[in-house]
Amino acid sequence: GEGVGDPGELDIDHLVPLAEAWESGADEWTDAEREAYANDLEHPQALVAVTAGSNRSKGDGDPAEWRPPERSTWCDYALDWIAVKAEWGLTADPDEIAELEEMLATC
């Protein structure tokens, strides 16, 4: 929800952070699969341009640990999170699922 005039103020963020992917099943992938995930340009939800501050506040957090500050984006964020995890066969823990359900209630 923030306008940015200088592209240098943006980071490219893994919607599902690499560490979260690792904890959700990527630890069992081959090196080639991990590289494909880290550089996934086929799925528009996988890599997103965000402000550097937003990227740092999210860190490696899943929805149980971090949500976008704008409630109006929760639905899209949750749908994108689920799409990425489903595409890559990643799991979700109970706390993550509960928060995703709450975010989806805003749809």
Side-chain angles (χ1 to χ4, degrees):
E2 191 173 328
V4 176
D6 177 7
E9 295 177 21
L10 296 173
D11 285 351
I12 300 302
D13 180 36
H14 291 91
L15 182 79
V16 176
L18 297 174
E20 170 63 23
W22 182 268
E23 294 171 4
S24 301
D27 61 318
E28 298 181 13
W29 293 349
T30 65
D31 289 343
E33 288 171 314
R34 287 187 199 108
E35 183 176 346
Y37 178 81
N39 298 295
D40 185 358
L41 298 177
E42 291 183 36
H43 304 95
Q45 312 91 333
L47 298 170
V48 293
V50 299
T51 62
S54 175
N55 194 18
R56 278 149 195 74
S57 92
K58 175 183 159 203
D60 292 334
D62 70 18
E65 301 161 329
W66 185 88
R67 295 179 186 194
E70 295 290 326
R71 185 179 174 90
S72 63
T73 66
W74 286 3
C75 177
D76 288 337
Y77 185 83
L79 291 170
D80 290 348
W81 183 275
I82 293 165
V84 170
K85 284 224 166 175
E87 180 62 37
W88 288 93
L90 299 170
T91 63
D93 63 53
D95 291 339
E96 179 182 346
I97 291 168
E99 294 302 320
L100 286 166
E101 289 173 342
E102 188 173 324
M103 292 169 73
L104 289 171
T106 67
C107 293

